[in-house]
Every structure is written in structure tokens, then in C-alpha cells.
Amino acid sequence: YLSRTHLSSFLTFTIKNYKINKQNILGKLPIPPFENITLKIKDVKYANKSSLAIPESIYQKIHQHIHTLQNDIRNTFIIMSAIACRINELEYINEDSLKYNKDKKYYELSFFVSKTQHSQTKKGRKSFRTVPIDDKEVIDAFYDQVKLTKQLRKSSNLKSIFLYATMNRKIKVIDKTRYAANINSLIKKYNIVDENNKLWHFTTHQLRATITTKLAESGYRSDEIMQFMGWQDKSTIEQAYIQLKK
């Protein structure tokens, strides 16, 4: 259950940013004494547009043309689309991060999450996320990235597979500026526009909001979404259409 404080914050956020109608159900919030409250959403307005979930049609068009970009940008997009990581967490993904689980019969990708390190350490836990991977495209992108950065990792002593060499030959972990700029160049080149015929503006955090939305719309419970996304409490509400359940 959400606390009264969390409910109040959520209702304030919803009233402020969403239009209410009778068509689309956001979800029931089972919190006494408001057990049967159902919020209904039509047009979602975001307080922070950098966290806007990418509409399916736009995502598919980006994905359709992603192969036209440099291999490392393509691989980054494919992998981030699957694991919903933050851009800074790419630093902690190395060649040993992806392993095949023989018991579960699928791959798992594990990586360190610095944002939750303090809270997890207090609980005696390690701050890691493990995400199941059963998509061949994602697995292929991972191993292609391992191959692409083999020499960069060797010469720099850095472990991340998301490395690139700058114009002045410095080796760095891919950053949000370079990554987003490449995706936005693709969007401009192929004229990928929203429903208002405006070019979509991509930011690195949008894939997290997109995956959150898809999980919610697929009927996953809030605790399941929290676990997948690596959130610590139910007060975390991404700037996306989220269905809250018990």
C-alpha cells in the first residue's frame, strides 16, 4: 500500500499534469479510505519532457533505421531498450555481465547501480540489477560491443564495453551527449515526427519511461515494476502513464 503522503503527492501530480476522461484507466489505488478510486487518463502531460515515454510508432521508426548509425550507438540503443538502465550505468557493464542461466534457460545481464548503493548497503545488500534477456538481437548487440571495444579496453585498462575514442584519441565511456546527438540526427534524417508533426526529441532517460509504461500497460504489479526498474520505494513515479496495483 502507498502511504497517505504518497497518495497525496500522486494525486497532486496527476491533477496537475493529466487530463481526466472516461476512457483510459490509470488504475485503482487500494489505500484506505480511498479503496475504489480510479483515475482515468487521456492526454498525458509531463512535468519533465526529458522523461517522456517514446510512443510505439516513433520507437519502431527509430529501431527501423538504427542500423544506419555507428555500431556502438546502435548496440547501445538496443541494449538500453532491453534493460532500462541509466546512461551512467553503462560504465559498469563489462564483458562478464551477460551470463547464461542454465536452470532458467535464458541469459541474464547484471550490473552495478550506483544510485541505490547507499540504501542497499544499509540493508546489507549489493547494489546490482539483474535483467533477464531472451532477445537474440540484444544478445548479439552485447557480444558485438564486446568485440568492438576489445582493443580500447586493453589499452585503457577500463572494463566497460561501452567505450569509444574521441577525436584527440582519449578513451571514454559513451556519454549522453554523444549518444543522444546521434539518435536525434537519425530522427531528423528520417523525419520521425510526433502526432503534432514535430520532430521527436530523444533523451537518454526516455527508454526507462518507455519500458515502465509498457510494463504497466501489460498488467505488471507496481512491486514487479519496482523490482525490474531497480526502484527502492513506491514514491518513485516516472513521468509516464503508470498503473498502480497492490
Side-chain angles (χ1 to χ4, degrees):
Y1 288 87
L2 295 174
S3 68
R4 288 174 181 266
T5 301
H6 291 160
L7 175 63
S8 175
S9 298
F10 181 70
L11 290 175
T12 301
F13 176 85
T14 302
I15 293 169
K16 197 172 183 181
N17 296 285
Y18 299 154
K19 293 180 180 179
I20 307 300
N21 73 79
K22 297 181 180 179
Q23 301 300 319
N24 301 320
I25 298 175
L26 174 67
K28 294 181 179 180
L29 303 179
I31 308 153
F34 311 101
E35 293 182 356
N36 296 314
I37 289 179
T38 298
L39 299 175
K40 301 181 179 182
I41 309 302
K42 184 177 181 182
D43 299 321
V44 183
K45 293 182 178 179
Y46 297 85
N48 182 356
K49 291 192 176 182
S50 68
S51 296
L52 196 67
I54 305 172
E56 183 65 21
S57 61
I58 290 177
Y59 175 84
Q60 290 300 333
K61 288 175 182 176
I62 295 173
H63 187 270
Q64 178 185 349
H65 299 292
I66 199 69
H67 67 279
T68 64
L69 296 180
Q70 297 176 60
N71 287 358
D72 66 325
I73 300 296
R74 178 200 66 204
N75 293 337
T76 301
F77 182 83
I78 290 171
I79 293 169
M80 289 187 71
S81 294
I83 67 175
C85 68
R86 301 173 182 87
I87 189 73
N88 66 304
E89 291 165 356
L90 296 178
E91 177 182 354
Y92 306 108
I93 298 178
N94 58 57
E95 63 178 327
D96 296 320
S97 294
L98 184 67
K99 295 184 183 296
Y100 185 72
N101 189 315
K102 293 182 180 179
D103 295 328
K104 298 178 180 178
K105 296 183 180 180
Y106 56 70
Y107 283 87
E108 292 179 323
L109 200 158
S110 299
F111 54 95
F112 176 70
V113 181
S114 59
K115 187 171 184 178
T116 59
Q117 182 179 17
H118 179 69
S119 59
Q120 292 289 59
T121 300
K122 286 178 65 177
K123 297 176 183 178
R125 304 172 186 167
K126 292 183 178 180
S127 186
F128 274 82
R129 278 184 64 207
T130 298
V131 180
I133 303 292
D134 61 0
D135 189 329
K136 185 177 184 299
E137 182 184 44
V138 179
I139 296 167
D140 289 346
F142 179 90
Y143 286 118
D144 185 51
Q145 196 61 25
V146 169
K147 183 179 178 180
L148 282 174
T149 59
K150 182 178 180 178
Q151 190 57 45
L152 292 175
R153 285 181 282 118
K154 184 177 180 180
S155 59
S156 66
N157 289 321
L158 295 174
K159 292 185 178 181
S160 173
I161 64 170
F162 293 94
L163 302 178
Y164 75 102
T166 65
M167 295 293 289
N168 57 3
R169 299 184 180 180
K170 289 185 178 180
I171 298 174
K172 294 183 176 182
V173 178
I174 189 169
D175 59 84
K176 64 180 181 181
T177 301
R178 175 175 177 267
Y179 172 52
N182 275 270
I183 301 296
N184 282 314
S185 292
L186 179 149
I187 289 170
K188 184 176 181 180
K189 179 179 180 180
Y190 293 99
N191 194 37
I192 301 175
V193 297
D194 62 17
E195 59 184 7
N196 297 315
N197 206 36
K198 293 183 179 180
L199 283 174
W200 184 263
H201 182 71
F202 175 84
T203 69
T204 60
H205 203 70
Q206 288 172 355
L207 289 172
R208 280 180 64 80
T210 302
I211 293 174
T212 301
T213 302
K214 287 183 177 181
L215 290 172
E217 291 179 339
S218 296
Y220 285 89
R221 301 190 309 271
S222 59
D223 60 319
E224 293 172 322
I225 296 174
M226 282 171 58
Q227 182 179 0
F228 183 87
M229 300 301 292
W231 295 339
Q232 297 301 297
D233 60 70
K234 292 184 179 180
S235 65
T236 305
I237 300 175
E238 291 289 330
Q239 311 304 317
Y241 157 34
I242 300 179
Q243 185 177 20
L244 296 177
K245 293 183 176 182
K246 273 187 179 181

